Amino acid sequence: MRKLITYNYKGLTQWGVLSSDDKEIIPSELLEETYFIPLSENLFSFINSGDEGLINLEKCLAMNEKDNAVPTISINDVEIEIPFISGRNIFCVGKNYKSHVKEFENTNDIPSTPVFFTKAASSLTATNKSIIRHYDISKELDYEGELAIVIGKKGTDIKEEDALNYIYGYTIINDITSRDLQRSHEQWFKGKSLDTFCPIGPVILTGSNNTSFTIETKVNGELRQKDSTDNMIFSISKIISNLSKGITLLPGDIIATGTPQGVGMGFNPPKFLKSGDKIEITISNIGSLVNNVK
């Protein structure tokens, strides 16, 4: 498994590989310059290079493990950026945990097919960046910790048994939602697509054959959400297969797989986000996505 990260170092946006202890970054640019093996300029291009890119990266890393020629950069010396921007909206799945359906709608009406919607690509923001409340138009700001899939190759009408072959990697998304906008517009797009409403990152986890992840969400240190992707109503394979029917998925497409029980709206009274609140979403093997509300 590898963790790919995009970061700003001394005013330049670059990408690299996070060390096994998550403390150092191996810059892709220096790997390419040192070993004369082509790697892409940015992470989106690298994803689009497919298996060839991953093979080249592994060659570079294997040689560097032997001679340690490429200097690393401390994670503390960089500003972590959005992993990449594909230009397409983020695909999302709603109502994908039974416990969340029950807490949110007080009903046992479990969907029989995945409920899809999108978030605007312009809503993406990075870990450690502020989430803007947009208090002038929304008073009910909520969080939703979710596992997200990154698609690695083009595909349409993908069979469920083949779906995992189309996954490039995994990351974390906080599906920030304005509940009052969601309610007043009678659909989900507007209330989920305001600027900064899609924190993502901090890394893309590649090379994992595991589809079982534990999700934890804390607000100001209080554990609000804890569940496993094993409890999703629709599996990762089913989500990819269903979404791809009649829709061509492309390398770099992001699919958020839904949130478990414990969102602010589910409490009585609701626990909506306030200015100064800190949201920390941790997913096993990936890391933590941390943002404050401005």
Side-chain angles (χ1 to χ4, degrees):
M1 295 188 294
R2 300 291 185 186
K3 294 180 180 180
L4 309 183
I5 186 169
T6 297
Y7 59 94
N8 188 292
Y9 180 64
K10 295 183 177 180
L12 294 176
T13 297
Q14 309 170 52
W15 72 274
V17 182
L18 202 57
S19 61
S20 58
D21 61 5
D22 292 350
K23 293 181 178 180
E24 301 288 327
I25 298 171
I26 307 171
S28 63
E29 182 179 14
L30 295 183
L31 286 171
E32 184 175 20
E33 291 176 355
T34 302
Y35 299 111
F36 303 102
I37 295 176
L39 300 174
S40 302
E41 183 178 357
N42 56 61
L43 199 46
F44 180 63
S45 296
F46 185 69
I47 291 171
N48 274 268
S49 69
D51 291 341
E52 181 181 356
L54 289 171
I55 291 169
N56 285 347
L57 178 62
E58 289 304 318
K59 288 179 180 177
C60 290
L61 292 172
M63 287 187 285
N64 192 54
E65 286 175 5
K66 291 181 179 180
D67 55 35
N68 200 28
V70 176
T72 60
I73 302 171
S74 171
I75 192 74
N76 296 321
D77 292 336
V78 308
E79 181 179 0
I80 301 174
E81 300 282 1
I82 296 167
F84 63 89
I85 298 176
S86 71
R88 301 235 289 187
N89 280 4
I90 300 92
F91 296 106
C92 303
V93 183
K95 303 180 180 180
N96 200 26
Y97 289 80
K98 291 180 181 179
S99 58
H100 176 55
V101 173
K102 292 177 182 178
E103 72 163 347
F104 196 72
E105 298 186 349
N106 194 26
T107 176
N108 290 316
D109 187 16
I110 305 301
S112 57
T113 56
V115 178
F116 291 116
F117 61 95
T118 70
K119 292 174 77 82
S122 57
S123 67
L124 289 170
T125 193
T127 191
N128 300 324
K129 298 290 179 69
S130 294
I131 298 166
I132 301 171
R133 278 193 72 185
H134 299 280
Y135 194 72
D136 55 332
I137 57 174
S138 175
K139 305 297 188 290
E140 300 178 1
L141 193 66
D142 211 345
Y143 55 87
E144 295 188 2
E146 306 193 12
L147 174 74
I149 305 161
V150 179
I151 295 297
K153 60 182 180 179
K154 185 176 180 179
T156 311
D157 299 327
I158 299 167
K159 294 179 180 179
E160 191 173 333
E161 57 267 29
D162 297 331
L164 297 184
N165 296 326
Y166 287 79
I167 296 175
Y168 190 86
Y170 300 92
T171 189
I172 306 169
I173 272 181
N174 188 351
D175 179 17
I176 295 292
T177 305
S178 164
R179 298 299 184 195
D180 40 358
L181 280 181
Q182 187 179 34
R183 186 167 55 250
S184 65
H185 283 265
E186 299 183 358
Q187 48 76 43
W188 298 355
F189 177 75
K190 174 73 174 182
K192 289 176 173 284
S193 292
L194 302 186
D195 293 348
T196 72
F197 271 26
C198 193
I200 185 173
V203 301
I204 304 296
L205 175 72
T206 66
S208 174
N209 295 320
N210 179 33
T211 60
S212 179
F213 295 87
T214 300
I215 303 172
E216 291 187 358
T217 302
K218 295 180 180 178
V219 179
N220 301 324
E222 176 191 3
L223 182 63
R224 298 278 185 88
Q225 294 181 293
K226 185 173 183 179
D227 211 331
S228 169
T229 56
D230 292 338
N231 295 323
M232 293 193 302
I233 297 170
F234 304 105
S235 68
I236 289 172
S237 294
K238 188 173 290 292
I239 289 169
I240 293 172
S241 177
N242 192 288
L243 181 59
S244 74
K245 293 185 186 304
I247 294 178
T248 300
L249 299 182
L250 300 175
D253 279 346
I254 300 166
I255 306 172
T257 59
T259 199
Q261 179 182 18
V263 299
M265 185 70 176
F267 290 89
N268 187 17
K271 295 183 177 182
F272 293 124
L273 296 171
K274 308 178 300 297
S275 294
D277 283 349
K278 178 182 178 181
I279 309 103
E280 182 176 3
I281 302 168
T282 301
I283 297 185
S284 53
N285 295 325
I286 300 175
S288 296
L289 175 67
V290 184
N291 300 91
N292 291 316
V293 180
K294 184 175 179 180

